[in-house]
Structure formats: structure tokens, C-alpha cells
Amino acid sequence: MNIGEIARRAGVSRSTVSYALSGKRPVSEETRRKIQRVVDELGYRPSASARALANGRTSTLGLVFPPAGNHYTGMQLDFIGSVVEAAAAYDYDVLLSPSGVDSDRSFQRLLGERRVDGAILMEIRLEDDRVEHLSALAFPSVAIGRTARPEGAWWVGLDHTALVERCVHHLADLGHRRIAFVNRPEQLLRTGYESAHRGLEGFTKAAAERGLTVRTYCCGDDADSGQTCVERILHDDPATTALVTLNEAALGGLYRGLARAGRHVPRDFSVTGVVAGRWAETVTPQLTAADVPAAEMGRLAVDLLVERLDHPDAPPRHHLLTPPISLRASTGPAGAPPAKDTGTDTTR
């Protein structure tokens, strides 16, 4: 069923039907009602492509994120789900594009064919060619995360530096003097992954302020890597009594490694970090953590992007979130070290 058939049955011109449906020009109330009766009788729904041609909008947002590799982390899935849900509240669909300028074709189709009205970018790097590319094209976009120079951009971010600092100070206040930092995989650190770098910055800064002996580790996004990482930590410095992590995907393995080493959490070893709240509550004992508000961040990103689309001349806005640390059961006072203090201070 098409506009021509609606016009024939309503006894009006095709252009009148088009104006009535799009609202681009005024149509008398009597004519509009006549057309609407025919539309309702026929169950007519204009196609997405027809709407896009008529008003220049696709009613679709793009969500751009890197390929998963073996899997997506729970936090990544939380972000994806929150963006889709928030977009639906604005009557937008979401087109997923697991790519960037580095893995070009899907991303370029998204832009070159104008399949979406705007884009939300996940997994931001400090130097991110996707952000620069969209900015150069003046294509409406919002980032979940901050580049090294976020001024003049639209973004929603988490203050990983401040949050990891708070985790370190919390452990130091409990008497812990030898602390490890479990970061994301080494490849992400090498490519400038924003949260990994800013988290490391916060850890290093807070440890220096408190005069702590620390070691830092990169860890794969899976439980087996988490267990292996704990084995390395305890091998390198058996006197370590606590760790801070950004790697929620490795969390179960970190706990398993401590249990196999005979370290009871939190009596013998404290664990804290920056992870999504629902994941912090899946381990036993539940993790004391700065809870990543993934659902809120996805919603705020959609809010900002819709604002950009509705008000193209609006000045750039951003949200930098610093949620409080939720005190649960995984941290406690430092006990006597299980082995002789080695006095070393190494970065890995």
C-alpha cells in the first residue's frame, strides 16, 4: 500500500497526502481526517527509507564499538543494553557497528550512506581516530569516555583517576602497605585505552602520596587470566596484602587464585576496584568497589546525542561521573604479612 492508493481512496492528490503525513505544509482539518481514516483502514505505515527521504532523518542512532575478540565484557554489554533502551524511549532504533576507522568498512558505510542520524562511540582511546574523523565531518556524535583533549566535544565519562585513587586511599587507611594493581589487557594499554591509562595514573599518584610499595599488572579479560595474575602477584611479592582492579571480567579468577593460595578475603587479603555494581555483587564476599553506573552513562549519552540532533547549534556538553565507593565485604584491616617483606618495588 502506498501514497498513491491512499490519495485515490481519499479523493485528494498525492502531494496532499504527503503534506498531511509529514506536516511539512498545512492541510485543512477535514482533509487531514479524511486521509487519516483511509490510512487507518489500510493499516498504512510509511517505510523508514521514505521517511528519511522526506525529512532527512533516519530515526536511527549508531553505536560504534571495537570487535569483541573472544567475547564482550559484562560492562560492555551493560553499555550496549542501556543505549538501546534509552534510544527506544526517544523512538530511535540503534544500529550496531563493531568497528572504527581502523577496521573500516562497517564504520564508513555507517557514515557514507548516512544510515544513522548520529553516533555513540564506546571504548574510547586517549588518541582516538574515530572521534577525530567524526569531528572533521561535523557528524553528530557523543563518546562514552574521554580523549586526551576532550575540550569542545560531547561525551559522558567516568573519572577513573579519582576512583582508583579513592580505592588506594581506602586500602591505605586500613593499614595496607603493599598493594597490587590489576589493569586491563596489555594490548589495550598499548593502544591508549582511556580507562586503563587514567586508572593507572590514579593508582600511581595515590600510592606515591601514601608511600606504598606497589606493583602493576596487565591482565586478560577472563577468569583464567585473573587466576594467573594472582599467582604472579604472590610469587613476585608474597607480602602483598591487597589489590585494586579495573578488570571485572577477571574478578572471579582473582578470587579463585587467592583461595587456592590459601588467602582468605578479607581476613588475609583485601580486594577492591572499579566495576559495575551487579558484577561486584556476584562474587563472595561481595566486592567493595566504585560501582560503574553503566545504565546511567548509556542514558546520558543518548540524551546528549538527541540534544545535538534537535539543537545543532547548541554548545558542547559533557558529564563526568564520580560515583562513591560502595563498602561491601571484600576489604578489611591489614593483618600480619604471610612472608618476609622483600622491599622491592616493580612495575609490570
Side-chain angles (χ1 to χ4, degrees):
M1 197 57 59
N2 56 41
I3 285 179
E5 181 63 16
I6 295 171
R8 187 184 69 79
R9 295 194 183 200
V12 298
S13 68
R14 291 170 60 95
S15 59
T16 300
V17 174
S18 178
Y19 297 150
L21 294 178
S22 68
K24 283 193 169 183
R25 293 189 185 179
V27 173
S28 72
E29 183 62 21
E30 181 183 353
T31 300
R32 191 194 64 77
R33 288 178 179 173
K34 186 191 302 183
I35 292 170
Q36 189 61 51
R37 279 197 299 270
V38 175
V39 166
D40 292 342
E41 289 171 5
L42 299 177
Y44 173 77
R45 293 291 182 273
S47 70
S49 57
R51 286 198 307 269
L53 285 172
N55 61 25
R57 298 280 281 267
T58 66
S59 296
T60 303
L61 306 179
L63 179 59
V64 182
F65 51 95
N70 293 329
H71 66 283
Y72 291 110
T73 68
M75 195 177 300
Q76 288 171 325
L77 294 174
D78 286 345
F79 278 128
I80 293 170
S82 68
V83 167
V84 171
E85 185 175 338
Y90 284 105
D91 203 23
Y92 275 92
D93 297 323
V94 176
L95 180 60
L96 303 182
S97 175
S99 60
V101 170
D102 294 338
S103 54
D104 199 42
R105 277 184 276 179
S106 175
F107 186 62
Q108 293 300 338
R109 281 199 303 271
L110 204 69
L111 304 180
E113 299 176 14
R114 287 282 171 166
R115 296 185 175 188
V116 297
D117 298 326
I120 293 172
L121 306 179
M122 287 175 53
E123 308 294 311
I124 297 299
R125 301 189 294 270
L126 292 175
E127 303 293 335
D128 200 305
D129 46 14
R130 300 171 303 163
V131 175
E132 294 170 3
H133 187 63
L134 291 175
S135 178
L137 293 174
F139 190 88
S141 65
V142 172
I144 299 180
R146 291 176 289 161
T147 65
R149 293 171 295 280
E151 303 83 9
W154 295 71
W155 52 270
V156 178
L158 198 65
D159 194 343
H160 288 89
T161 303
L163 293 177
V164 172
E165 283 184 46
R166 290 180 184 178
C167 290
V168 173
H169 288 304
H170 170 63
L171 293 173
D173 289 343
L174 290 170
H176 295 278
R177 307 299 302 164
R178 311 185 75 83
I179 301 174
F181 180 56
V182 179
N183 208 334
R184 300 293 303 282
E186 184 178 354
Q187 179 186 0
L188 295 182
L189 201 63
R190 283 200 312 267
T191 57
Y193 189 70
E194 182 242 346
S195 63
H197 276 270
R198 288 201 162 102
L200 178 59
E201 176 187 340
F203 181 80
T204 304
K205 180 173 180 286
E209 290 174 358
R210 302 301 291 263
L212 307 178
T213 297
V214 298
R215 294 172 182 260
T216 66
Y217 297 81
C218 290
C219 178
D221 288 334
D222 59 86
D224 287 344
S225 295
Q227 180 176 336
T228 301
C229 189
V230 164
E231 292 169 357
R232 289 171 55 206
I233 290 169
L234 297 180
H235 174 270
D236 293 344
D237 185 0
T240 302
T241 60
L243 67 81
V244 179
T245 186
L246 291 178
N247 196 324
E248 68 175 27
L251 190 58
L254 296 175
Y255 269 58
R256 188 169 67 205
L258 289 168
R260 292 191 176 183
R263 302 292 180 93
H264 181 275
V265 178
R267 184 187 64 212
D268 308 315
F269 202 101
S270 289
V271 183
T272 185
V274 182
V275 306
R278 71 185 185 92
W279 298 99
E281 294 173 353
T282 62
V283 290
T284 303
Q286 292 186 356
L287 186 72
T288 291
D291 298 340
V292 177
E296 181 183 2
M297 293 178 74
R299 177 183 58 78
L300 288 172
V302 172
D303 289 345
L304 287 182
L305 184 53
V306 172
E307 181 181 338
R308 284 200 73 175
L309 294 171
D310 290 344
H311 306 283
D313 297 326
R317 295 206 306 115
H318 67 268
H319 300 281
L320 181 61
L321 307 182
T322 311
I325 291 180
S326 297
L327 296 176
R328 298 187 179 95
S330 66
T331 55
K340 183 179 178 181
D341 191 321
T342 64
T344 56
D345 184 350
T346 305
T347 297
R348 288 180 176 263

